[in-house]
Amino acid sequence: MKETRILILEHDVNDLELLMHVLKKGELKFNPVIVETREQYEEALIAFCPQIILSDYTLPSFDGLSAFKIKQTICPNTPFIIVSGTIGEENAVELIKLGVTDYVLKEKMYQVIPKIQRALKEAWDFEQKCIAENDLKESRQQLQKIMDQSLDMICIFDSEGLFVEVSAASYLILGYLPEELINRNARELIHPEDLKKTERMVSQILLGKEVVHFENRYIRKNGEIVPVFWTVQWAENENVAYCVGRDATAIKQAEAELAEHNQQINNILESITDGFISLNRSWNVTYWNREAEYILGSKREDIINKNIWEVYKEAIPLKFYSEYHLVMNKAVSSTFEEYFPPIKAWIRVSAYPSKDGISIFFKDITESKRVEKINNLQKEVLELYTRKGSTIEETISLLLEGIQQIHPELMCSILRLENGKLNYWFSPHLPETYTDRIKSVPLGPEGGICGMAALLKKEVVVTDISKDPLFKNYYDLAAEHNLKACTSFPICDPYHKVLGTFVIYLNTARALSPGESASLERAKFILQHIIENHTAEIALKESEGRYRDIFQLSPLPMWVYDPDTTRFLYVNDAAIRHYGYSIDEFLGMTIKDIRPKDAWKNLQSTVDLSKNRCSFFQGTFDHLKKNGELIKVFIQSNLIDFGDRKARMVLAMDITEKLKFEETLDFSEKRFKAMVQEGSDFINIFDMEGNYKYASPASATLMGMEPEEYIDKNFLSFIHEEDKEIIAASLSSVKDTRRIETQPFRFKDFAGEYRWLQAIITNLLNDPAIQGIIVNARDITESVNYIQAIEEQNASLRDIAWIQSHIVRAPLSRIMGLIDLISNYPNEKEAISELLGHILTSAHQLDDVIRTIVRKSEHAEKMSDIKNKLPAFNIS
């Protein structure tokens, strides 16, 4: 096994010693280089060429993030792992997002070996992939150079019909560069009519048959169709087809020209949508296509070889005669429009000189003429209606006169609904003797066709007045004025309330033509708009006072302001109460005065935006009350007429409290997610047998295993043998008690070491969202170590106390007694010397005891330091 070059960026000797211990303990041969400064680090990156980098996060001269950025510049593909005890999970996650390979906490140094191995494998896989891709690229480039020398298009297709390789001739033949065709399916370029025979050819080559000179058509990039001759051979072992395609345009062009010549008459004369006539120099008809039959109403067999002016004598006084002679005699083309009475149609004609006479293309433009006229009429009517000082009577009269000019056979009139009856309002083309005798009609059958249309709220058609029961009361009157057919349209407002009827009479017993119906439908729409607005204007004037009351009684603040000056023009009582200004104060202010100063610079753009939006505008803004309170306000605004000026009416809704509530709710949701999904607790869900259904992301941090690695494994298989019976009993009892808190137990992590956990087990098998047993476990390994440290410290303290209370007292008592003998009793010099010897001996004994106490106290103090470094968890 080759040695792995590891560059270690670390300044702490103790941490480095621990890291090297873990590396040596793992099954990894490595060659380390250790650096502390930026300069050493940059030099090692170039000279040492590390295969992986282990870096502390916090360094005296720079940090791990800076080291990572330097690495990205010099050797971007080298794995980079942060090894730190101060990084914190949030910083670690951010570094991972920036591209750092992984991180290892120093208190979990056992994770460094598997993370190094995983990083090295990922780096090796990436390197091999790049090498393979480069080799493939070089091979393809060589093949492409060979293929590009051919004028024929050389292709390789896979079994799905996708281009695998294409030579440069593809641009000459199909108009596509080779890179535009790679991985594209040939079916997309084959002419649709040739797909089936191409598929049959593919079936044959898949059976091993070599195909030579197969022909199909392709669609070039510019839309042109190009015929291609193919030679195809299938390579079964490679599962691809080798093909050579040759442009057959030159060969096929001669065939196409011949086919085009043979079909020329059909393509030009029978497939066009215009009528077509050809005349010889004697003015006899030599060709008459189907569209000419339809427009002019004459069959070709009835007119071929006949003189056009003998068949259509009505055309001689018109432009047809003069323009056709101009084309024939002067050999110039002519385009014109003319109305032809025999067919009651407008005709647009384009006539051209030809070798034997003239060719004539023509089209019935009656409908477009009608649409043009009705469009112009609508424009004129609406312009008059919106003109200041015009009356509704002038507007409707203009409309009815225009309809009469477009359709002279129609006699139009309008009835208005008043007091439950329909009264004639406008009837410029009906005889007065007719309308005088029918001044008003009721709704329903008794009111004839107009009363019925108003009742049903839909169009009613009578094609023969003399026979229709709706005219039973008016047979004689209609016959007297030669009224033979009638159609009535209801005029309704947007709420389907009938405003009147639009009635049309004819002097012939027939239904309306499609063109007449279309014109009248447009006229009805205009009438409905005009009458509806006229009715609304009247109602508006009547309700103006009521609207003013509604404005004042609104519980929400409302005001009107001038968009040009932004001054308040009017405010309601709710605005006065909510903002704290009086009516006089408001009318002396602009809308700028209720905005905070930092919003003034954006106010003008908001006002301009509301002016550009000619009607409705809305948005959320900051407002200030008179007392200085800042509030959030949702604004809705519409453009209104306020006296003689345009103004904006604003409705303001204070949403300050609503936003606070939403922020609180959002914070609560985020906190819940942080506690459950992103929390440090080890949350698991099992089935009844203890098999994992879910493990929270904390499993990777706590146990060194990804959550998915736990799925389908049994929970008890990770439990220490001495603790399995207790945990199994807890899992069993939770079926009845629903919730239970376990005693501390030992759980095996990824490295095979046991960590102390304490858990709460909850039975949610009946919960449709969970359907399992939830185990919420917390890592209390540090807590257990903490308690053990306390117990060891207590033992030391008890030992010290015993020494103090027993051993110290013996020499101390002797010293006190000897001093008493010297002080209170006469003694000989030899006796005093002896007593002092006893005192010295006792003092040495006391000194030994004190040294023992000091040593044990230092040990207790050390245990106290360890205890203080550990978090004090409650494991009871």
Side-chain angles (χ1 to χ4, degrees), residues 87-372:
I87 185 172
E89 290 188 0
E90 292 184 0
N91 288 335
V93 171
E94 289 302 317
L95 288 172
I96 294 298
K97 290 180 179 179
L98 290 174
V100 170
T101 307
D102 211 336
Y103 71 95
V104 177
L105 299 178
K106 288 184 177 177
E107 57 265 29
K108 297 181 180 179
M109 193 68 77
Y110 59 87
Q111 296 179 348
V112 73
I113 292 298
K115 292 196 175 186
I116 287 174
Q117 292 172 336
R118 182 172 64 187
L120 289 172
K121 184 179 184 306
E122 291 174 354
W124 188 86
D125 290 343
F126 179 78
E127 181 182 1
Q128 294 305 307
K129 178 182 177 183
C130 293
I131 292 171
E133 289 176 350
N134 187 59
D135 291 342
L136 179 60
K137 182 179 179 181
E138 291 180 356
S139 176
R140 286 182 172 176
Q141 287 175 346
Q142 292 175 357
L143 176 62
Q144 195 69 44
K145 288 179 182 178
I146 297 172
M147 294 169 60
D148 289 345
Q149 301 307 310
S150 173
L151 295 177
D152 291 337
M153 184 172 65
I154 302 173
C155 310
I156 301 176
F157 293 95
D158 66 12
S159 59
E160 300 298 325
L162 301 179
F163 286 93
V164 177
E165 296 289 346
V166 189
S167 69
S170 64
Y171 184 79
L172 298 175
I173 297 176
L174 299 180
Y176 290 93
L177 294 171
E179 55 266 28
E180 293 179 291
L181 294 176
I182 299 301
N183 293 326
R184 187 169 180 179
N185 198 302
R187 290 177 58 89
E188 300 174 11
L189 307 179
I190 298 173
H191 193 286
E193 295 177 2
D194 293 348
L195 276 175
K196 288 187 177 179
K197 74 173 186 177
T198 303
E199 290 172 353
R200 289 194 295 270
M201 179 273 291
V202 171
S203 299
Q204 291 176 353
I205 67 167
L206 290 176
L207 295 174
K209 181 178 179 182
E210 184 177 354
V211 176
V212 180
H213 295 309
F214 171 79
E215 177 190 344
N216 64 1
R217 291 168 293 171
Y218 272 65
I219 300 174
R220 292 173 57 88
K221 187 175 182 178
N222 62 3
E224 294 177 354
I225 298 173
V226 55
V228 182
F229 287 154
W230 291 99
T231 299
V232 184
Q233 185 173 15
W234 176 252
E236 185 175 356
N237 59 330
E238 298 177 45
N239 202 31
V240 295
Y242 291 90
C243 309
V244 178
R246 175 167 296 180
D247 187 348
T249 304
I251 299 173
K252 302 298 294 183
Q253 188 172 1
E255 299 175 1
E257 289 175 354
L258 179 61
E260 182 180 359
H261 177 74
N262 293 334
Q263 295 297 324
Q264 182 178 13
I265 296 176
N266 221 23
N267 292 339
I268 296 176
L269 303 182
E270 296 300 329
S271 299
I272 60 176
T273 58
D274 288 1
F276 175 77
I277 302 171
S278 64
L279 305 174
N280 62 19
R281 295 190 175 275
S282 301
W283 301 105
N284 294 328
V285 177
T286 58
Y287 198 88
W288 192 272
N289 74 349
R290 284 193 298 267
E291 192 65 19
E293 290 181 326
Y294 175 75
I295 295 174
L296 297 176
S298 298
K299 296 291 184 182
R300 70 179 70 190
E301 56 267 23
D302 297 331
I303 200 168
I304 292 293
N305 295 324
K306 291 184 179 179
N307 188 287
I308 189 72
W309 307 122
E310 293 178 359
V311 177
Y312 289 105
K313 296 178 182 179
E314 302 92 338
I316 295 176
L318 304 175
K319 284 185 179 180
F320 302 106
Y321 187 86
S322 59
E323 293 296 321
Y324 291 171
H325 277 77
L326 176 66
V327 173
M328 184 80 78
N329 298 330
K330 300 292 185 180
V332 295
S333 61
S334 175
T335 299
F336 62 92
E337 296 177 359
E338 182 68 293
Y339 184 76
F340 195 40
I343 60 174
K344 296 181 179 180
W346 278 89
I347 304 296
R348 179 183 290 128
V349 179
S350 295
Y352 304 93
S354 64
K355 179 181 178 181
D356 300 321
I358 63 172
S359 299
I360 303 165
F361 295 87
F362 60 96
K363 184 185 290 288
D364 185 344
I365 61 169
T366 307
E367 179 61 17
S368 62
K369 280 284 187 181
R370 180 195 66 77
V371 172
E372 179 183 351

Side-chain angles (χ1 to χ4, degrees), residues 718-721 746-749 752-756 781:
F718 294 90
I719 306 298
H720 194 281
E721 290 297 328
R746 284 159 289 184
F747 191 91
K748 185 162 58 178
D749 63 14
E753 298 180 1
Y754 285 97
R755 303 189 66 79
W756 284 93
T781 305

Side-chain angles (χ1 to χ4, degrees), residues 677-716:
Q677 184 69 12
E678 300 174 3
S680 60
D681 284 2
F682 185 21
I683 301 173
N684 311 284
I685 302 177
F686 311 125
D687 59 18
M688 280 293 297
E689 286 71 34
N691 296 318
Y692 273 94
K693 296 173 63 177
Y694 170 81
S696 67
S699 62
T701 304
L702 293 176
M703 302 300 169
M705 286 178 64
E706 296 300 327
E708 55 269 18
E709 296 183 66
Y710 284 99
I711 303 305
D712 294 332
K713 293 183 174 63
N714 194 279
F715 177 64
L716 292 175

Side-chain angles (χ1 to χ4, degrees), residues 793-812 845-846 848-850 852-857:
Q793 182 186 19
N794 289 341
S796 296
L797 293 176
R798 284 194 299 271
D799 194 12
I800 292 170
W802 188 87
I803 294 171
Q804 288 177 333
S805 61
H806 295 85
I807 300 174
V808 173
R809 287 194 175 276
L812 183 60
Q845 291 177 349
L846 184 59
D848 291 338
V849 173
I850 291 172
T852 302
I853 293 173
V854 170
R855 187 173 64 255
K856 291 183 177 290
S857 297

Side-chain angles (χ1 to χ4, degrees), residues 359-426:
S359 299
I360 303 165
F361 295 87
F362 60 96
K363 184 185 290 288
D364 185 344
I365 61 169
T366 307
E367 179 61 17
S368 62
K369 280 284 187 181
R370 180 195 66 77
V371 172
E372 179 183 351
K373 289 181 178 180
I374 199 68
N375 284 342
N376 292 334
L377 176 61
Q378 178 177 341
K379 181 180 178 181
E380 292 174 7
V381 169
L382 293 178
E383 285 178 351
L384 177 61
Y385 176 68
T386 56
R387 190 180 304 158
K388 190 172 183 179
S390 66
T391 64
I392 189 171
E393 289 78 9
E394 293 173 335
T395 304
I396 294 180
S397 295
L398 176 63
L399 177 63
L400 297 186
E401 286 296 336
I403 294 295
Q404 179 72 25
Q405 292 176 10
I406 297 171
H407 301 288
E409 296 183 22
L410 305 183
M411 293 173 282
C412 303
S413 60
I414 299 172
L415 287 78
R416 181 167 54 180
L417 184 63
E418 296 176 318
N419 300 321
K421 289 192 174 182
L422 293 168
N423 301 307
Y424 273 95
W425 191 13
F426 293 96

